[in-house]
Amino acid sequence: MHTDQSSPSHPSGIWKHGLSILLMSVTFIALEILWTRIFSAEFFYTFAFLILSLAILGLGLGGLSIRFFRKLNNPSLIWLYLTLSGILALVGPALVLRLDLNFTHLFSSGWMLMKFILTIVILSSSFFWGGMALTLLFKLENKKISTLYMADLIGAGLGVVIAVVLMNTIQTQRTTLLICLPVLLAALIQAPKWWRTAPAVLSLVALFLLPQAETLIHKERKERFPVIFSHWDAMANIKVAKAGDDFYYCIIDNAAHAPTFQFDGVIDKPDSLKQVSGYPLKYLIGRTDSCTFLSLGAGGGADVLNALYEGATEIHAVEVVPYLNYMMTDGFLKDFTGNMYHNKRVTVVTEDGRAYVRQFRNKFDIIYSGSTNTFAALASGSFALAENYLFTREAFEDYYRAMSDSGVMLLDHQFYIPRLVNDAIDAMKKLNVPNPASHLAVYDFPGRGRMVMLMSKQPMKKEVWENALYDLSAENYPQFRIVYPSPDSIKNNLINQIVENGWTSAQENSATDLSPSTDNRPFAAQMGMWKNFHVSELETVQPWEFKGFPLAKLLITIILLVIGLLIIPINLIPFLKKGEKLNVRGWLYFFLIGIAFMTVEVILIQKYTLFIGSSSYAFMTILFSLLLASGIGSFFSSRFTSTTPFLGIIVWIVLDVLLFGFLTEKLVLLPISGRILVTMVLILPLGFFMGMPFPKGTLRVGSLVDWGFAVNGAASVLGSTAIMLVAFNYGYRVALVTGAFAYFLAMLLMRSERVWIKE
């Protein structure tokens, strides 16, 4: 039996619908987080961004289908839509992982393109059916939208916490199977008496499958060495591969490899018996009588072992992935590594390297960074091409301050050194260091495909750069050479050009972007340039940009084209239908607040990662705070005038851009719990006001909220994607101001007394 969608329901019905919305929102946001974690590890983080941005469009399309097809606009079917959403949430990840999708052949193989489209269909289907149920409930109770939207936002906030907590306790694979339960419980609440059997049975199926979770949520791949241990939580997918009886690899998100050597606890071995990974530290450590050593990204402890062997007296092993440190201190690798993390000379720190180093002045004789910023470190929440802040100009200012008077920093990387040389020079100029170039040496290892930058607190003596690593001899030249200070024979190398003439003079001859990275614009990994885009290279697209191919920009462009050429036109079709419809003002209002909300959310996640440290903690903190506060704001939205929420948002964003950065700089020495608390205090008022525009708009359009919700959903994905291009080019502050401007335009529409509905 159909319910009159214009009639108010019994108060108990409001709470029934509100609870259903809360539960389905728990599932939807958790799906975003889980699928991001899964696909970042199994496919690569840039492709996870592509998949999820397109898949989540299903939420708005589900709402739009209610307007297109009258038979679907039936409240008695809500339970069925929720059940279908739960089924697809349960089976979707397992199905996709078995499609054997290979993104490197996406543009050269029609079959692979079909697999990609099928992946989008599978993943978006859960959101599609859920979007239908959510829209019907909004439409059914449109006069109580402030309460229902509050349930939606608070449910999403709870979903963030639930997903992360479950991943860290029962691991990612089991969480993936369990996260369908909230939406199935919502189906149970909405279902007629006898139909409740369906969601109940499906819930039991999910529980029954838990013991097979690691088999079901698994993508077959050929490993170079046998995997003897694995763990997958909210921070990382960690595998331990056995390369030999005395040598393991810790593989993080199938992208980073951290070596681990067997150690018997005996430090004073002859050099011939020492197993050393990385670069020789004997000379650098031996320059001081008491060397304080900082390992940024200690991983499996190889750098720490190296420092122990060479006599460092105080070693700080800093690693952002908690479980890696647990394996070394109390877990799987403890005995294999001779319990070395309990050595009295070793301080084990679970923290982001940048956040940790900011706490010190004139402390470290050696700061050692061996490929710390791997691609695995970039994986984040959906709607974000995450970057960390290890390689910005301000980061090098922090490293310089943290070095002792005779200190040095040794940093290696496969791809970033040319850009980092520029950042280091800029940092020393900002600190008024005379002749910054005299503090640098850069080495090339052609055989390893790596370069090493050595930065010193004092002007570097020839003796230091000649002896820091290996012998600079003619015999070693094919494998090891210095490129700055460069011999006359190679004066034209890229590094030398950057040091002597600046990055702009070298940019024309460089395939990759050499422009400075700053805390406002830290896009080190997204260094491809449009000038390097060639159709022929699409045949084998690689998931990185070190050759200059603009992968991130290409994927963003694909998403924007799909939205611009397909999704937005679909959202315009109701204008052609007869009957009551939104006018242009109403359509634009929901479009603008969708763009604005996601713009602000995405940039805040990126921006506050610098303050909090860990991108995963920042993601959880920002989303939970923003969604919880927005839910509360929605509930109280009727108590505020039409323009107050927008003014509150705009003023708060201006404060964030102009003031909050200085405040957080003063509070960086707080422990991570304190930094999270401060972030929540700064975000909650903003979130409170951001929860009001949607319910206020809904009250003006009534049952047309289905169309408004669909437009809002499409605009949300558009905003979260397009704003990354703004951030790439102009930085986070301009991106935030862009979000504020979108809210300003929406405010002008809200202030208008003209109606938003036409016959």
Side-chain angles (χ1 to χ4, degrees):
M1 186 170 120
H2 290 264
T3 303
D4 182 357
Q5 295 184 18
S6 63
S7 62
S9 68
H10 191 273
S12 63
I14 295 295
W15 292 107
K16 171 186 172 182
H17 297 329
L19 179 59
S20 299
I21 289 173
L22 184 146
L23 289 168
M24 72 175 81
S25 294
V26 168
T27 291
F28 296 155
I29 195 73
L31 281 177
E32 291 183 40
I33 295 170
L34 280 160
W35 290 349
T36 299
R37 182 89 290 278
I38 292 170
F39 299 134
S40 292
E42 297 293 358
F43 294 117
F44 204 72
Y45 79 108
T46 45
F47 297 131
F49 177 83
L50 174 64
I51 291 175
L52 287 172
S53 295
L54 295 176
I56 294 169
L57 287 169
L59 198 63
L61 291 176
L64 198 61
S65 66
I66 297 298
R67 176 144 297 273
F68 284 158
F69 306 105
R70 295 186 63 182
K71 289 185 178 181
L72 298 177
N73 188 13
N74 183 351
S76 66
L77 296 177
I78 290 174
W79 74 273
L80 177 60
Y81 301 154
L82 291 172
T83 302
L84 292 171
S85 180
I87 293 172
L88 290 157
L90 176 64
V91 305
L95 289 176
V96 168
L97 290 175
R98 278 155 179 76
L99 283 178
D100 195 27
L101 187 60
N102 186 342
F103 282 93
T104 62
H105 298 136
L106 183 60
F107 299 100
S108 60
S109 167
W111 178 235
M112 200 58 64
L113 181 61
M114 290 300 297
K115 287 185 178 183
F116 172 72
I117 294 172
L118 182 58
T119 296
I120 300 301
V121 170
I122 292 171
L123 296 185
S124 64
S125 295
S126 181
F127 291 103
F128 176 81
W129 294 109
M132 291 175 65
L134 183 60
T135 306
L136 268 175
L137 289 171
F138 281 167
K139 191 170 183 176
L140 186 66
E141 302 284 2
N142 63 80
K143 290 182 171 53
K144 297 290 185 179
I145 189 63
S146 60
T147 300
L148 297 188
Y149 193 54
M150 174 189 68
D152 179 29
L153 293 168
I154 290 179
L158 292 174
V160 173
V161 177
I162 290 170
V164 172
V165 169
L166 285 178
M167 281 192 282
N168 286 337
T169 52
I170 63 173
Q171 299 196 46
T172 297
Q173 301 95 322
R174 294 185 184 90
T175 305
T176 303
L177 296 181
L178 285 180
I179 211 60
C180 66
L181 295 181
V183 74
L184 290 175
L185 179 57
L188 194 68
I189 292 171
Q190 291 289 331
K193 185 174 181 180
W194 296 109
W195 288 111
R196 293 173 185 169
T197 306
V201 169
L202 285 168
S203 299
L204 293 176
V205 169
L207 294 173
F208 176 78
L209 292 174
L210 276 182
Q212 286 79 45
E214 292 187 15
T215 302
L216 293 171
I217 311 300
H218 175 73
K219 183 178 185 293
E220 289 294 334
R221 63 174 63 244
K222 293 181 179 179
E223 301 287 358
R224 184 179 175 187
F225 303 108
V227 174
I228 57 175
F229 179 83
S230 64
H231 175 86
W232 198 348
D233 59 25
M235 289 289 288
N237 178 11
I238 300 171
K239 302 173 186 175
V240 179
K242 184 177 180 180
D245 291 338
D246 56 359
F247 180 33
Y248 293 170
Y249 267 121
C250 293
I251 307 170
I252 301 98
D253 282 356
N254 295 301
H257 295 78
T260 300
F261 292 97
Q262 188 175 37
F263 179 53
D264 59 8
V266 179
I267 300 293
D268 300 323
K269 293 180 179 180
D271 288 348
S272 60
L273 297 180
K274 294 177 181 177
Q275 294 194 79
V276 176
S277 175
Y279 302 98
L281 297 174
K282 181 185 287 290
Y283 174 80
L284 293 175
I285 289 177
R287 293 168 61 241
T288 59
D289 294 332
S290 177
C291 177
T292 302
F293 181 93
L294 169 63
S295 173
L296 289 177
D303 302 338
V304 175
L305 180 59
N306 195 356
L308 280 170
Y309 275 147
E310 302 303 343
T313 55
E314 183 180 342
I315 302 168
H316 296 240
V318 180
E319 173 57 55
V320 72
V321 180
Y323 201 81
L324 276 174
N325 278 345
Y326 170 76
M327 287 198 301
M328 295 293 294
T329 55
D330 299 290
F332 181 74
L333 296 174
K334 175 185 175 182
D335 293 334
F336 183 76
T337 57
N339 202 22
M340 71 174 179
Y341 267 33
H342 289 278
N343 187 292
K344 63 182 180 180
R345 288 191 275 158
V346 178
T347 299
V348 182
V349 181
T350 301
E351 176 70 280
D352 169 73
R354 174 78 184 282
Y356 187 69
V357 82
R358 283 181 299 179
Q359 303 173 29
F360 298 95
R361 295 289 185 272
N362 302 312
K363 170 72 173 178
F364 300 106
D365 299 304
I366 298 177
I367 299 177
Y368 187 97
S369 172
S371 294
T372 304
N373 188 345
T374 65
F375 292 118
L378 304 176
S380 168
S382 58
F383 297 139
L385 289 172
E387 297 293 339
N388 63 42
Y389 290 83
L390 289 173
F391 290 162
T392 65
R393 182 196 69 203
E394 293 87 346
F396 283 101
E397 292 179 40
D398 289 336
Y399 301 144
Y400 187 90
R401 294 188 190 100
M403 287 190 286
S404 66
D405 288 341
S406 60
V408 297
M409 179 178 189
L410 188 149
L411 185 154
D412 93 323
H413 205 277
Q414 301 98 316
F415 320 122
Y416 300 158
I417 293 298
R419 199 173 195 181
L420 303 189
V421 166
N422 183 39
D423 291 339
I425 290 175
D426 273 5
M428 287 186 278
K429 286 180 180 177
K430 189 77 180 295
L431 294 171
N432 297 316
V433 176
N435 191 15
S438 67
H439 295 250
L440 293 177
V442 182
Y443 308 90
D444 185 20
F445 290 79
R448 299 186 187 182
R450 293 176 177 275
M451 299 184 80
V452 174
M453 181 175 74
L454 190 66
M455 181 174 75
S456 64
K457 190 70 166 281
Q458 302 297 330
M460 196 178 303
K461 296 178 180 179
K462 183 178 180 182
E463 175 192 353
V464 174
W465 57 259
E466 281 188 334
N467 295 284
L469 298 176
Y470 300 98
D471 183 23
L472 291 168
S473 63
E475 292 79 9
N476 285 340
Y477 186 82
Q479 298 299 323
F480 171 66
R481 64 195 68 167
I482 190 164
V483 292
Y484 184 83
S486 61
D488 290 339
S489 59
I490 56 170
K491 279 287 186 182
N492 291 327
N493 74 76
L494 181 62
I495 299 295
N496 200 61
Q497 291 181 47
I498 293 171
V499 174
E500 293 191 351
N501 303 312
W503 70 273
T504 52
S505 65
Q507 183 63 80
E508 184 177 350
N509 297 322
S510 173
T512 58
D513 185 4
L514 299 177
S515 62
S517 295
T518 67
D519 285 348
N520 184 50
R521 182 179 169 269
F523 293 95
Q526 278 74 52
M527 56 189 180
M529 305 180 74
W530 278 119
K531 71 177 184 179
N532 300 313
F533 176 79
H534 302 290
V535 174
S536 59
E537 294 190 36
L538 292 175
E539 294 181 3
T540 53
V541 176
Q542 297 301 316
W544 44 68
E545 301 192 7
F546 66 89
K547 291 185 178 180
F549 186 82
L551 177 62
K553 296 181 181 69
L554 175 64
L555 297 184
I556 288 173
T557 301
I558 291 172
I559 296 168
L560 296 180
L561 287 173
V562 170
I563 297 172
L565 299 179
L566 178 63
I567 304 302
I568 289 179
I570 290 175
N571 276 277
L572 294 173
I573 290 175
F575 279 121
L576 305 177
K577 297 174 70 70
K578 294 181 179 180
E580 194 176 54
K581 67 190 70 173
L582 294 176
N583 62 20
V584 173
R585 293 183 188 85
W587 194 96
L588 281 176
Y589 176 83
F590 285 102
F591 185 79
L592 285 168
I593 64 173
I595 285 179
F597 192 102
M598 288 305 299
T599 292
V600 173
E601 177 187 296
V602 166
I603 298 303
L604 288 179
I605 292 171
Q606 299 274 6
K607 187 171 180 288
Y608 278 90
T609 295
L610 172 63
F611 178 54
I612 292 176
S614 163
S615 60
S616 294
Y617 289 139
F619 176 73
M620 182 173 69
T621 301
I622 295 297
L623 270 188
F624 175 74
S625 304
L626 204 60
L627 293 170
L628 177 67
S630 294
I632 297 171
S634 173
F635 185 76
F636 290 102
S637 60
S638 61
R639 303 186 185 186
F640 291 82
T641 66
S642 60
T643 58
T644 299
F646 299 97
L647 293 174
I649 293 167
I650 293 168
V651 169
W652 209 260
I653 288 175
V654 171
L655 288 173
D656 191 284
V657 170
L658 299 179
L659 179 62
F660 292 168
F662 296 103
L663 176 63
T664 54
E665 280 183 15
K666 301 296 183 183
L667 299 174
V668 294
L669 299 184
L670 290 172
I672 191 168
S673 57
R675 300 197 299 270
I676 288 174
L677 182 61
V678 169
T679 300
M680 293 181 69
V681 170
L682 295 178
I683 295 300
L684 288 171
L686 174 63
F688 180 75
F689 290 118
M690 286 175 64
M692 298 181 185
F694 185 83
K696 282 190 169 296
T698 299
L699 291 175
R700 294 189 66 166
V701 302
S703 62
L704 289 173
V705 65
D706 53 0
W707 191 4
F709 178 76
V711 172
N712 185 265
S716 295
V717 180
L718 177 65
S720 64
T721 306
I723 202 60
M724 299 311 297
L725 291 178
V726 177
F728 284 172
N729 291 291
Y730 305 107
Y732 294 153
R733 285 189 286 270
V734 172
L736 270 180
V737 171
T738 302
F741 183 67
Y743 272 121
F744 173 74
L745 294 177
M747 181 182 72
L748 296 181
L749 293 171
M750 176 58 74
R751 284 174 57 88
S752 172
E753 297 297 327
R754 298 181 182 180
V755 297
W756 289 357
I757 300 174
K758 64 179 180 179
E759 296 295 332

